[in-house]
Amino acid sequence: MKVGLHIHLAHDGTPCPSSTEYSSDLFEWSDTDEHIDHNDYPEGTSIPLVADSDHPATTIVNKSGVHSVSIWYCHCPGALNPDMQLFQAGLFPASFTRPKTAFTFSVLDDFLLDNLECGTSAMNYYSKIRRLTSSIFPLMVLDRYRELMRTVRQWRQCKLYKWHGFAHKNDEPKTGDLALFCPACPQPGINLDRSTGTATQPDDTPSWLFTRTLVMDGNFKAEHLHPVNPSNEVSLIDGLAFMVGDERYKSHLAVAQDHVQKSDCNNHHAVNQANASRQKLEATGIGGCACARHGCFVPHSMVDFQKGERQMNMDYALSQALNYNTDGISQAIMFYDINCQYNKFLKDRIASSMYLSIPIGMDIIPGIGLWHVHGHQDSCYVRIDGEIMETLWASLNIISPSARGMGTPHRKEVLDYQMNDSNFMKMIRITKFLCRKFKEAVQGAAESTLSFQNLNETVQPAMVILWEAEEAVAQANRLEDPTAMDIYEVWLEKGKSPTRKQQELRLLEAQNRPDHPATNSPSWRGAATWLATVDGNEQDSLVDTVHNSPDEDYSDLDDDHNPDPDPETHHASIFQPELTILPLPSNLGIVRCNELGLTDLMKEETAFREGQANDALHAIRVHLGDKAVIFWNTIRSAKSQASSTRAWTQLAKLPDHDLLKKYLPLKKEHLKANAAVADPNARGQRDATLAWFWSINVQGDTSGNDWMTEFYQVNWLRTKALCDRWNEEVILVKHEMQWSVNFFTYKAKQWLSLMDNATYTGLTGHACYAARQCHIYRQLAAHAVESFQKVIPVIQPEVPVVSS
């Protein structure tokens, strides 16, 4: 678009006093610029016009479109070079020697944001700019796509240098210095001072707190074609962000040995498929490490795959991740989807390579991510935990197709920028994330502690001592011998709570005592037998009771409960027992029983109900333990006998009865065969605990029954581990909150120091930018302290004050 606009540089928009050539009356467009290469413009394309040979029109690309304007540079003594004058005006020149095209800073920022959020490619973005310039003839607009690609690469580099403070100092960035990392992970010297335990905790803080937790994974959508002109490629930030340095990585691959091992577990289709050789690809994907708890990519730990996801690739990524800000950290937890094979000879591979290393004294604890564990055999289940990296590939997969055909350095820079933005978004959202995790941890700790206490209280003390000893041995040996954790696996091979028969015998014996009502009342004789015979769901028992118990007179109860003035109807009802409501005390109600003097009979029915409940619950436990289908008759029996609302409500009103506290409602989810008992390794069962009825009678279930003893041992160990994990999670999240505040404080102090240095040297722009960055991190720290103190008031506000 020719707007006939003059832009004067370096003098606040006024003409340069040292230039005597300018006159607005002499400005005329012409197309006689001898420097224009007409081959650059296809037939029918507009050629930029010029005012004269000394001041050619410059193409300015802005968010509003492509414009041709006249640029007048300052010619005063000591004036900056033309490219620097354009920079001062907010214009990024496409060439630093004879700039003819420039992009506004705003259009470059807009493209980068579109690329991050929407995955917009440079070609599509510039097509949009051309349409904004001319909706009817977009092809007539100057094509500056190639210049945009080159300029954007340089703009990314400038942004990264500026964000990480390298515009304020003369230091050259080292590996990973142009990348953000997780504020909530322990980083000695940044958010953690190991010389005093932690920044706010004493020296007796648990050592497991200071653990770097990593997850490894590969992404096979981030492919890359072989470059067309590899000799012309120039890298701008090689190895300074997330992708590893090219030279050392290739040296490692040149000498590394690829030992293919046969997997003992189910085949991992994605890995096997990616291992296929693809001749047209320089890289078949990427892989690397992220922090497993918060999902931040680890700087300088992302590698390219050449022939799929091989151990030599992931070895290098892991080695770099373990050495990033880990001075003083002696333990790392490492999750990998094929860790059961990958970890077997990891130490040997590291020891035999001159390019691989781990910090001296650091122990590596392997694990398998939950998303991948279902492709493994059963013995892998009890040796696993956590996964998060799968979710991080989503944003990279959006831009991977457009990066597939880029030059090798350009593609790596695009990936670096995407991963840096991913970490930035994690950083600014870490406060909300940790608050949510803390609330979940507190709830999980309370529920798991209660579940473990209920289970532990009913186990024989001798068994508890034995199980605790086995647990200690397994935890001590799990690093050297993963099979030690197999005691947490279920090897599924009648209780002593009083059953219905035992309750009947007890009541019959009680009738022989002198103080029992049956001694002086004939109507009580046989009451215990009658109650035991009459099952709540067996109406046929009533027929036997009516015809075979001549000594017992229940006519009053029947008449009162089922009044019928018609003798014929009443007579017929005797022969229709299935239509008759059983005259049990629970059916009559406590008021009517008190009127009839049957309070003791209510107590006896209560005892029978408890025995029936114990029988039904034991049957359920056996069925669930066997992973059997719970038949409707079992469930119906349990519901009616163990938790019949009316019966329990009436009987529990008696003094000294806590039945409703002991026998809780039996819910549908308690009876699922795929719950924590039947299949504790199934999806979604990681935090599941046993239903309440499993704690009713552990001693009785395990007495003389090796199968149930084994079952309860495994579930006792699992419940204790769940309880311990949730309580440790509460402690860990508290520290992560403090580490996040410390991280923001550290960053704020860094920028405060840079601001003071810039002010001292007279770099006003640098000082203003540093003050802005310091203010941002102060705000993040203050917001974190305020949010954390709402859920737990222990976070220390260590926010620096910016000097005026």
Side-chain angles (χ1 to χ4, degrees):
M1 180 182 294
K2 311 182 190 70
V3 296
L5 175 67
H6 302 282
I7 296 180
H8 298 274
L9 304 180
H11 291 282
D12 297 327
T14 61
C16 175
S18 300
S19 177
T20 60
E21 303 173 357
Y22 173 73
S23 172
S24 60
D25 297 334
L26 299 177
F27 186 84
E28 294 181 0
W29 292 104
S30 70
D31 55 0
T32 58
D33 186 4
E34 61 182 2
H35 302 297
I36 292 180
D37 186 357
H38 291 261
N39 293 326
D40 291 341
Y41 307 100
E43 183 178 357
T45 303
S46 175
I47 298 177
L49 303 180
V50 296
D52 54 49
S53 60
D54 295 326
H55 302 283
T58 302
T59 300
I60 304 297
V61 182
N62 190 30
K63 289 193 296 183
S64 59
V66 181
H67 311 281
S68 292
V69 299
S70 178
I71 300 292
W72 291 70
Y73 297 95
C74 173
H75 296 286
C76 294
L80 297 174
N81 293 333
D83 59 322
M84 296 305 298
Q85 293 186 41
L86 289 171
F87 274 118
Q88 285 187 333
L91 300 171
F92 199 114
S95 171
F96 298 148
T97 54
R98 292 166 52 186
K100 299 178 184 178
T101 300
F103 297 84
T104 62
F105 291 177
S106 61
V107 77
L108 296 176
D109 284 335
D110 188 63
F111 166 68
L112 290 183
L113 188 58
D114 266 16
N115 184 251
L116 290 173
E117 292 292 339
C118 309
T120 306
S121 66
M123 177 177 291
N124 290 339
Y125 185 82
Y126 194 76
S127 294
K128 182 186 77 171
I129 295 296
R130 298 177 81 175
R131 293 186 64 177
L132 287 172
T133 306
S134 175
S135 59
I136 302 176
F137 302 107
L139 295 180
M140 298 294 289
V141 180
L142 295 177
D143 185 2
R144 291 294 184 263
Y145 164 68
R146 183 181 61 181
E147 289 78 2
L148 175 63
M149 292 277 285
R150 182 173 64 249
T151 303
V152 165
R153 288 187 60 193
Q154 297 167 328
W155 186 244
R156 284 196 188 96
Q157 180 191 24
C158 291
K159 300 283 279 190
L160 290 174
Y161 270 76
K162 184 177 70 169
W163 288 342
H164 297 280
F166 287 96
H168 293 70
K169 52 189 176 183
N170 296 325
D171 298 346
E172 289 295 327
K174 301 180 181 64
T175 55
D177 280 353
L178 299 185
L180 284 171
F181 188 45
C182 180
C185 283
Q187 300 183 66
I190 296 178
N191 61 3
L192 172 67
D193 184 4
R194 289 304 307 273
S195 63
T196 59
T198 69
T200 59
Q201 299 295 328
D203 292 333
D204 59 353
T205 304
S207 59
W208 52 260
L209 277 174
F210 313 120
T211 300
R212 178 64 55 84
T213 309
L214 302 174
V215 57
M216 303 170 62
D217 196 24
N219 180 357
F220 305 111
K221 291 187 178 181
E223 299 175 340
H224 185 233
L225 298 172
H226 285 288
V228 179
N229 297 309
S231 59
N232 294 336
E233 294 183 337
V234 177
S235 180
L236 300 180
I237 55 173
D238 181 38
L240 301 181
F242 295 92
M243 299 299 294
V244 298
D246 193 57
E247 183 178 356
R248 182 178 174 84
Y249 179 49
K250 288 184 177 179
S251 298
H252 159 72
L253 296 178
V255 298
Q257 298 291 327
D258 184 28
H259 299 287
V260 180
Q261 302 174 26
K262 182 179 179 180
S263 176
D264 295 332
C265 301
N266 295 336
N267 288 332
H268 297 274
H269 180 69
V271 175
N272 293 340
Q273 185 182 41
N275 282 336
S277 177
R278 302 181 183 180
Q279 300 298 329
K280 295 182 179 180
L281 297 177
E282 181 193 41
T284 59
I286 62 173
C289 302
C291 70
R293 289 187 57 81
H294 316 105
C296 290
F297 291 103
V298 180
H300 201 254
S301 68
M302 307 302 296
V303 298
D304 276 326
F305 297 150
Q306 294 73 38
K307 296 181 180 179
E309 189 175 347
R310 296 180 295 175
Q311 290 183 350
M312 62 172 65
N313 302 120
M314 301 307 291
D315 286 347
Y316 194 85
L318 178 62
S319 173
Q320 297 299 315
L322 292 175
N323 284 278
Y324 182 80
N325 289 354
T326 56
D327 292 340
I329 293 180
S330 59
Q331 182 172 271
I333 300 177
M334 180 264 294
F335 298 109
Y336 193 18
D337 53 0
I338 54 174
N339 229 345
C340 50
Q341 294 297 320
Y342 174 79
N343 188 68
K344 284 184 178 179
F345 304 104
L346 174 61
K347 293 183 178 180
D348 295 336
R349 295 195 302 270
I350 292 177
S352 62
S353 174
M354 61 181 296
Y355 298 101
L356 303 177
S357 66
I358 59 175
I360 298 176
M362 177 177 285
D363 294 325
I364 301 177
I365 302 175
I368 302 170
L370 286 179
W371 285 15
H372 290 92
V373 72
H374 300 284
H376 292 253
Q377 58 185 349
D378 291 342
S379 63
C380 297
Y381 279 106
V382 294
R383 311 169 192 171
I384 59 110
D385 200 358
E387 177 100 34
I388 198 172
M389 200 166 183
E390 289 285 352
T391 63
L392 301 181
W393 297 131
S395 59
L396 293 185
N397 291 341
I398 296 176
I399 56 93
S400 292
S402 61
R404 191 171 185 263
M406 292 178 177
T408 302
H410 189 187
R411 167 181 168 271
K412 290 184 177 181
E413 291 156 14
V414 169
L415 295 177
D416 280 335
Y417 200 78
Q418 288 280 342
M419 287 183 276
N420 193 75
D421 183 72
S422 175
N423 282 11
F424 174 77
M425 299 304 294
K426 296 284 186 179
M427 181 187 74
I428 62 178
R429 296 170 179 169
I430 195 67
T431 297
K432 182 178 180 180
F433 175 77
L434 291 179
C435 287
R436 186 179 75 249
K437 282 184 71 74
F438 182 77
K439 293 177 182 178
E440 293 173 353
V442 171
Q443 180 180 356
E447 293 175 354
S448 60
T449 299
L450 178 61
S451 178
F452 177 69
Q453 288 176 348
N454 292 337
L455 184 63
N456 194 57
E457 288 173 357
T458 60
V459 179
Q460 293 180 3
M463 284 188 174
V464 172
I465 296 175
L466 175 62
W467 294 347
E468 286 178 342
E470 293 181 355
E471 177 200 28
V473 172
Q475 294 294 337
N477 298 331
R478 64 178 182 176
L479 290 183
E480 291 75 18
D481 181 17
T483 61
M485 300 298 289
D486 289 347
I487 65 168
Y488 288 84
E489 183 58 271
V490 179
W491 301 98
L492 291 178
E493 294 277 325
K494 195 163 179 174
K496 296 305 180 182
S497 287
T499 64
R500 189 180 66 174
K501 291 297 183 183
Q502 291 171 335
Q503 293 285 41
E504 179 184 2
L505 180 61
R506 184 180 63 81
L507 292 176
L508 288 173
E509 293 175 347
Q511 289 183 3
N512 296 324
R513 295 199 303 266
D515 58 343
H516 195 275
T519 303
N520 301 316
S521 177
S523 63
W524 273 94
R525 287 178 296 176
T529 303
W530 177 79
L531 284 173
T533 304
V534 178
D535 191 304
N537 289 320
E538 296 178 4
Q539 294 292 315
D540 290 341
S541 298
L542 180 62
V543 179
D544 296 335
T545 302
V546 171
H547 292 291
N548 299 327
S549 302
D551 295 335
E552 300 174 18
D553 185 5
Y554 291 95
S555 58
D556 292 339
L557 292 179
D558 195 41
D559 289 342
D560 290 342
H561 197 66
N562 297 294
D564 192 340
D566 188 348
E568 294 183 1
T569 304
H570 179 72
H571 178 74
S573 66
I574 298 177
F575 301 97
Q576 300 180 36
E578 69 277 2
L579 302 179
T580 304
I581 299 177
L582 297 179
L584 295 172
S586 58
N587 290 331
L588 297 177
I590 190 171
V591 175
R592 184 61 175 155
C593 286
N594 288 334
E595 293 175 353
L596 297 174
L598 301 176
T599 303
D600 292 330
L601 191 62
M602 290 188 67
K603 295 180 179 179
E604 293 195 358
E605 185 190 351
T606 301
F608 279 112
R609 291 283 184 178
E610 185 176 3
Q612 290 173 339
N614 292 330
D615 289 346
L617 294 177
H618 177 76
I620 291 174
R621 292 198 296 270
V622 171
H623 281 302
L624 287 177
D626 275 328
K627 304 182 182 179
V629 177
I630 305 303
F631 296 103
W632 276 108
N633 59 345
T634 306
I635 299 175
R636 185 166 58 250
S637 174
K639 286 185 176 180
S640 61
Q641 297 172 8
S643 52
S644 173
T645 303
R646 182 178 179 185
W648 283 121
T649 302
Q650 294 291 340
L651 298 177
K653 291 181 180 179
L654 294 175
D656 302 324
H657 274 291
D658 292 327
L659 292 177
L660 292 181
K661 296 180 180 179
K662 179 179 180 181
Y663 296 91
L664 302 176
L666 196 59
K667 299 180 180 179
K668 184 177 181 180
E669 55 265 27
H670 295 157
L671 303 174
K672 290 182 179 179
N674 63 342
V677 173
D679 190 5
N681 295 322
R683 294 180 186 271
Q685 301 302 324
R686 181 168 180 257
D687 295 328
T689 56
L690 294 173
W692 59 268
F693 55 79
W694 287 96
S695 302
I696 292 294
N697 185 31
V698 177
Q699 293 189 26
D701 285 342
T702 57
S703 178
N705 191 322
D706 293 339
W707 177 86
M708 290 300 290
T709 300
E710 176 78 13
F711 173 78
Y712 273 110
Q713 176 185 4
V714 170
N715 283 281
W716 184 91
L717 290 169
R718 285 178 175 269
T719 306
K720 184 177 185 301
L722 179 65
C723 177
D724 292 342
R725 179 170 62 83
W726 275 121
N727 283 283
E728 291 174 359
E729 179 76 2
V730 173
I731 298 174
L732 182 54
V733 175
K734 288 181 183 178
H735 282 76
E736 289 176 338
M737 289 177 170
Q738 185 65 63
W739 293 337
S740 297
V741 174
N742 295 346
F743 178 87
F744 296 140
T745 301
Y746 174 83
K747 288 290 187 179
K749 290 179 179 179
Q750 268 192 331
W751 283 107
L752 182 62
S753 176
L754 294 175
M755 184 195 73
D756 292 339
N757 293 338
T759 303
Y760 177 78
T761 56
L763 298 174
T764 305
H766 288 65
C768 291
Y769 180 80
R772 177 176 177 270
Q773 292 296 102
C774 179
H775 179 66
I776 289 174
Y777 282 106
R778 287 178 59 225
Q779 284 185 309
L780 289 172
H783 174 65
V785 170
E786 180 182 1
S787 300
F788 294 157
Q789 287 183 338
K790 290 180 180 178
V791 295
I792 177 169
V794 299
I795 306 302
Q796 302 298 319
E798 300 181 5
V799 183
V801 179
V802 180
S803 58
S804 58

